[in-house]
């Protein structure tokens, strides 16, 4: 982002929004190296909605320092949460654990909640929110229900709970894009289910006692025509901007 991009049209500083990211093998030009990365759709969604995106790859320490300067946090999608975090044996269909990322995002999540920092969990991010508050996950949904062919999103409709913060953003229902084979099972402490799919799968959660702490099972960053969730996160983040 350029220096002028840090200020919005109203003259206020654009909220700094942290986005958790991967550490994985990647290839570009003549290089094939370990890299810290996140799909560009997350970066574009934050920037398009009035925020300044800041990537947060797993790293040792520094959580408090980072959250002291951030105005909001996106827990991005990614690999399965380690079942050991909710005291379960791994299903054969659960992916290999990514413990450094689990540990890093857990620290960010708890510190953000303690600060009442605006938070949006996406797919894995919603599942981690549930797990870190004492909930559990269904480790595999029926085949070809929420994840069909590799790297292709499934589109379906979710029903949103009336009176929830999510309903204030999206209304009573929304058409969404999902790609997941796991889902929320037992709810974590303080969480409320605020959207479900037609098959009953939990599609959204929120903490009603926080300023803005939502989790959605779908991928809103993939739909540039519907920026409402990112707008809501960044609007909440504006309250922390000095």
């Amino acid at each position: 982002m350029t220096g002028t991009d840090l200020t919005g049209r109203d003259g206020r500083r654009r909220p700094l929004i942290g986005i958790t990211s991967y550490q994985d093998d990647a290839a570009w030009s003549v290089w094939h190296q370990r890299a810290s990365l996140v799909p560009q759709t997350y970066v574009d969604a934050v920037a398009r909605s009035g925020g300044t995106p800041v990537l947060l790859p797993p790293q040792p320490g520094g959580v408090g320092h980072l959250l002291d300067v951030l105005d909001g946090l996106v827990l991005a999608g990614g690999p399965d949460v380690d079942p050991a975090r909710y005291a379960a044996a791994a299903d054969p269909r659960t992916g290999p654990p990514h413990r450094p990322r689990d540990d890093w995002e857990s620290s960010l999540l708890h510190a953000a909640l303690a600060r009442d920092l605006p938070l949006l969990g996406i797919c894995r991010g919603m599942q981690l929110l549930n797990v870190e508050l004492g909930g559990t996950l269904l480790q595999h949904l029926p085949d070809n229900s929420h994840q069909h062919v590799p790297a292709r999103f499934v589109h379906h409709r979710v029903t949103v709970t009336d009176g929830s913060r999510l309903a204030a953003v999206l209304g009573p229902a929304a058409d969404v894009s999902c790609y997941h084979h796991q889902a929320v099972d037992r709810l974590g402490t303080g969480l409320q289910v605020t959207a479900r799919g037609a098959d009953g799968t939990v599609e959204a959660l929120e903490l009603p006692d926080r300023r803005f702490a939502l989790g959605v099972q779908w991928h809103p960053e993939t739909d540039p025509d519907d920026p409402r969730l990112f707008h809501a996160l960044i609007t909440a983040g504006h309250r922390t901007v000095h």
Side-chain angles (χ1 to χ4, degrees):
M1 309 283 293
T2 66
T4 55
D5 288 328
L6 297 177
T7 303
R9 293 180 180 177
D10 59 2
R12 292 190 295 176
R13 176 172 70 77
R14 293 163 63 98
L16 297 176
I17 306 297
I19 307 171
T20 60
S21 57
Y22 300 71
Q23 284 182 327
D24 212 337
D25 295 332
W28 65 96
S29 183
V30 298
W31 305 104
H32 189 282
Q33 295 185 14
R34 196 76 173 167
S36 296
L37 54 89
V38 71
Q40 184 66 28
T41 48
Y42 287 96
V43 174
D44 291 344
V46 168
R48 188 184 303 115
S49 300
T52 298
V54 180
L55 300 194
L56 304 176
Q59 55 193 276
V63 167
H65 170 71
L66 280 169
L67 295 190
D68 284 345
V69 298
L70 292 177
D71 305 301
L73 176 66
V74 174
L75 295 172
D80 295 338
V81 175
D82 185 357
R85 299 192 80 90
Y86 48 98
D91 184 285
R93 295 162 294 189
T94 294
H98 289 247
R99 293 188 181 97
R101 182 172 177 184
D102 287 348
D103 291 344
W104 169 241
E105 293 187 357
S106 171
S107 296
L108 287 170
L109 170 60
H110 285 289
L113 292 177
R115 287 167 166 76
D116 200 15
L117 190 74
L119 165 71
L120 176 62
I122 293 175
C123 197
R124 164 194 159 88
M126 183 187 89
Q127 294 173 3
L128 185 69
L129 173 64
N130 188 59
V131 167
E132 289 303 308
L133 293 180
T136 63
L137 302 179
L138 296 168
Q139 291 192 50
H140 192 72
L141 294 170
D143 291 339
N144 298 318
S145 58
H146 292 256
Q147 182 174 302
H148 293 181
V149 298
R152 185 174 299 173
F153 291 99
V154 177
H155 297 273
H156 67 173
R157 193 164 181 81
V158 301
T159 301
V160 181
T161 302
D162 185 47
S164 65
R165 183 176 297 275
L166 185 66
V169 177
L170 298 183
D175 295 313
V176 302
S177 299
C178 66
Y179 186 81
H180 62 102
H181 79 112
Q182 298 190 337
V184 165
D185 188 9
R186 188 183 72 238
L187 273 183
T189 302
L191 288 166
Q192 293 182 353
V193 175
T194 52
R196 290 187 183 271
D199 62 357
T201 298
V202 174
E203 292 284 352
L205 300 172
E206 62 186 61
L207 279 169
D209 63 346
R210 292 302 195 280
R211 181 154 46 107
F212 189 97
L214 303 183
V216 296
Q217 187 59 72
W218 64 88
H219 285 268
E221 80 283 359
T222 65
D223 186 359
D225 294 326
D226 188 359
R228 289 176 293 175
L229 274 170
F230 286 96
H231 274 309
L233 172 69
I234 288 160
T235 297
H238 263 302
R239 301 183 192 177
T240 68
V241 176
H242 301 294

